[in-house]
Amino acid sequence: MKIFRLAVTAAALLLSLPSAVQAQTTLRIGLAEDPDILDPTMARTYVGRIVFASFCDKLFDIDEKLDIVPQLALSHETSADGKEVTIKLRPGVKFHDGEPLDAEAAKYSIERHLTMQGSFRKPELASVDRVEVVDPLTIKLGLKAPFSPLIAQLTDRAGMMVSPKAAKEAGDKFGLRPVCAGPYKFVERVQQDRMVFEKFADYWNKDNVFIDRIVFLPIVDATVRLANLKSGGLDLIERVLATDIKDVRTDSRLKLSTAIELGYQGITLNIGKDKAKGPLSQSAKVRQALDLSLDREAINQVVFNGEFKPGNQWINPDHPYYQKAFPLRGRDVAKAKALLKEAGVTPPVSVDFMVPKGAETEAVAQVVQSMASESGFDMKLRVTEFATSLKQAEAGEYQAFMLAWSGRIDPDGNSYVFQKTDAPQNYSGWSNKEADKLLDEGRLVTDQAQRKAIYEKLAKIVLEEKPLLYIYHRRILIAHTTKLEGYKQMPDGLVRVVGLKLK
């Protein structure tokens, strides 16, 4: 009820605004969480990326086919040796404070991502050795080595440009009043209540911006979010529950927009940091046995009414880099038991199973627990707040961890930081020299066929060693009122507001 009252309070605030503002169009978006800091250098949450899409343009973007398209940049060119990337900027672009987005500003933004203390963009841009200004609208990135995922990285927060003037003045407080170059500019934020943005009059693509204000309202309970959408308190909500799909589709006032996500839902297994030295961390056969205990299609049917897509790799089966040589295997309890016997393990195998709080995540974990028990695993569920679970994962205080990844368009973005030895998000603590070599090789090659052959070798190792069990790929579920026109869902799960109209 507390969450519902927050939504009502925010809605009441909107209704109490002066009549001049009431005449404006306002798009109200219900979020599943309150984002972390609104600074693209420091931010790390998926929900934050949704908010950034309304006010912080990137050098490049993606379309429905996962092709990279220009945004703040017009083009890019890579040198023959792959170690220099020249980027032409769009002319006439201004930041929200009126400052120009020129080559000096772009250089500043990228260097800020690289050097600011605590930057989460630094690993994404680690290949960049220097940024040079070629002319007022051209920058050149000098790389330490060829890095094929670079432009893909610049379609996300690493490619977001911030006003140098505002960033220098605000320092580490920039996230409190961010200044970017997107369609809407920041007005205010009240933690756990609302974030308000208004149309930026000097936006480079202003002729395609038709809504005056955007208000983001964090409402954690999915049922409350949907109720607010139905009652007219919200215009769009993200992360509709799969069990509510039928309800949305049968409501003539609502529309559902979907796409299979770029990311995955899986179980990270603690191999290198398990203080208890349990069987899962000590034997690949035990991890294989746990994997064979699971019926991915049954999980999809039971928890998600068959709406999601079962998977066994870090990219979904529709992705061009999916390795068809390793198709989804069915459940095999007998083989799972045999593997435990081969490993010299006597059931039940006790597993500390950390599960972030959330209706769907907990439901999946309960099904996993039930399935695994038939093979001899005792999965002891430990439901934990998400932020706490990440801290405990970093410290190795778990044995199995139900963890989602929102995904990136390039396969490197779904693999390197989780699988490379000592990488920032290698919560498993897994280390394999051959896998490390292949992960690095995948960054040096641009030809898709050659890269796919490299990732096939990597997939073979990962699927045998099993530092992570990839289980399914979610369907991005966005519901909105039929009064909202022009909405298209991209596979990255973001809510793009340019081109939208409210009737």
Side-chain angles (χ1 to χ4, degrees):
M1 288 305 295
K2 182 182 177 185
I3 297 165
F4 182 73
R5 281 198 297 273
L6 283 173
V8 171
T9 301
L13 179 127
L14 291 174
L15 292 173
S16 67
L17 292 171
S19 58
V21 176
Q22 282 190 25
Q24 296 183 326
T25 49
T26 300
L27 177 65
R28 298 156 299 175
I29 298 176
L31 303 174
E33 298 119 19
D34 198 32
D36 60 347
I37 188 168
L38 294 181
D39 180 336
T41 300
M42 307 297 290
R44 64 188 300 190
T45 62
Y46 162 60
V47 72
R49 292 170 64 216
I50 293 176
V51 177
F52 279 124
S54 69
F55 79 96
C56 222
D57 276 6
K58 305 156 293 191
L59 290 173
F60 302 93
D61 200 3
I62 64 165
D63 63 16
E64 297 101 314
K65 297 177 182 177
L66 300 185
D67 291 327
I68 293 173
V69 295
Q71 197 169 63
L72 294 176
L74 288 178
S75 65
H76 67 92
E77 185 177 323
T78 304
S79 62
D81 65 0
K83 294 180 73 173
E84 288 186 339
V85 179
T86 303
I87 297 174
K88 294 277 187 184
L89 300 173
R90 186 180 295 279
V93 176
K94 290 183 181 179
F95 290 106
H96 299 147
D97 58 1
E99 293 290 305
L101 171 53
D102 54 17
E104 289 289 353
K107 172 181 164 73
Y108 173 85
S109 290
I110 293 170
E111 290 181 342
R112 182 177 190 264
H113 289 326
L114 283 167
T115 61
M116 189 169 177
Q117 187 175 359
S119 168
F120 283 103
R121 308 288 79 81
K122 186 175 180 179
E124 299 168 5
L125 296 171
S127 64
V128 177
D129 183 51
R130 66 190 185 281
V131 186
E132 300 173 9
V133 171
V134 177
D135 62 43
L137 288 174
T138 309
I139 58 169
K140 183 185 290 184
L141 306 183
L143 309 184
K144 298 168 188 172
F147 184 62
S148 53
L150 178 63
I151 301 302
Q153 295 284 27
L154 298 177
T155 67
D156 208 309
R157 287 165 296 198
M160 291 179 187
M161 301 287 101
V162 302
S163 164
K165 181 183 175 184
K168 287 172 186 174
E169 288 176 358
D172 61 1
K173 304 263 191 315
F174 179 78
L176 298 177
R177 292 202 67 83
V179 180
C180 291
Y184 292 83
K185 62 181 181 180
F186 179 84
V187 176
E188 67 166 343
R189 179 180 189 179
V190 179
Q191 293 283 150
Q192 304 295 331
D193 184 49
R194 66 185 181 272
M195 285 154 286
V196 181
F197 297 84
E198 64 182 29
K199 184 164 65 173
F200 177 45
D202 290 327
Y203 181 54
W204 65 268
N205 192 17
K206 62 185 176 184
D207 290 345
N208 286 311
V209 179
F210 306 107
I211 296 170
D212 298 304
R213 288 167 69 88
I214 298 181
V215 180
F216 293 95
L217 301 164
I219 303 173
V220 176
D221 190 307
T223 304
V224 176
R225 278 201 307 282
L226 181 56
N228 274 264
L229 179 67
K230 286 185 163 193
S231 69
L234 293 172
D235 304 298
L236 181 149
I237 60 173
E238 55 114 0
R239 275 179 276 183
V240 174
L241 295 178
T243 47
D244 288 332
I245 288 175
K246 185 178 178 182
D247 194 11
V248 173
R249 283 178 175 158
T250 54
D251 191 324
S252 61
R253 301 166 301 167
L254 303 180
K255 186 175 179 181
L256 191 71
S257 293
T258 75
I260 293 295
E261 69 172 348
L262 294 170
Y264 60 81
Q265 175 80 52
I267 302 174
T268 300
L269 302 178
N270 189 346
I271 295 176
K273 302 177 182 178
D274 181 20
K275 299 178 182 71
K277 303 291 182 188
L280 267 179
S281 65
Q282 303 304 300
S283 171
K285 286 185 177 180
V286 177
R287 298 192 291 274
Q288 291 166 12
L290 178 59
D291 187 54
L292 284 168
S293 305
L294 307 181
D295 185 331
R296 287 163 169 79
E297 184 52 51
I299 291 171
N300 182 34
Q301 294 295 335
V302 169
V303 184
F304 306 114
N305 294 339
E307 294 283 350
F308 288 9
K309 189 174 280 284
N312 66 334
Q313 298 173 31
W314 52 91
I315 63 270
N316 71 56
D318 298 331
H319 196 283
Y321 278 91
Y322 182 79
Q323 301 297 334
K324 293 181 180 177
F326 306 105
L328 202 62
R329 292 194 301 184
R331 188 184 190 217
D332 193 335
V333 172
K335 188 169 183 181
K337 289 179 177 178
L339 283 168
L340 288 181
K341 192 173 181 180
E342 286 176 31
V345 173
T346 304
V349 178
S350 179
V351 178
D352 172 34
F353 189 14
M354 184 165 65
V355 180
K357 193 173 184 180
E360 290 186 337
T361 308
E362 290 176 50
V364 172
Q366 288 162 6
V367 176
V368 167
Q369 180 186 47
S370 176
M371 288 178 171
S373 68
E374 295 179 33
S375 299
F377 290 90
D378 179 15
M379 306 291 286
K380 298 182 184 296
L381 269 59
R382 179 163 57 89
V383 178
T384 312
E385 292 292 339
F386 182 62
T388 303
S389 74
L390 285 179
K391 288 178 183 176
Q392 293 191 0
E394 288 168 356
E397 295 169 0
Y398 77 100
Q399 291 178 314
F401 178 24
M402 196 86 191
L403 182 62
W405 175 241
S406 58
R408 302 293 182 266
I409 59 170
D410 191 279
D412 177 89
N414 285 5
S415 55
Y416 197 98
V417 294
F418 302 100
Q419 298 167 2
K420 182 79 189 287
T421 299
D422 295 329
Q425 287 162 275
N426 184 351
Y427 300 131
S428 175
W430 181 60
S431 179
N432 182 290
K433 288 183 179 178
E434 183 60 24
D436 288 349
K437 182 179 170 220
L438 292 165
L439 284 161
D440 286 333
E441 283 180 9
R443 291 182 153 188
L444 299 175
V445 177
T446 54
D447 179 79
Q448 183 172 317
Q450 290 178 9
R451 285 190 86 202
K452 192 166 182 179
I454 292 167
Y455 284 121
E456 182 176 348
K457 293 176 186 175
L458 177 65
K460 186 176 189 296
I461 296 169
V462 173
L463 293 174
E464 283 178 1
E465 287 283 314
K466 298 200 181 297
L468 295 95
L469 307 184
Y470 303 97
I471 302 177
Y472 63 88
H473 306 274
R474 294 168 294 192
R475 185 174 293 281
I476 297 156
L477 299 171
I478 302 283
H480 60 83
T481 171
T482 52
K483 293 178 181 178
L484 183 66
E485 296 179 336
Y487 188 79
K488 293 179 183 177
Q489 189 54 55
M490 303 294 185
D492 60 5
L494 305 190
V495 176
R496 288 166 172 79
V497 294
V498 173
L500 299 187
K501 295 180 180 179
L502 270 173
K503 284 192 273 186

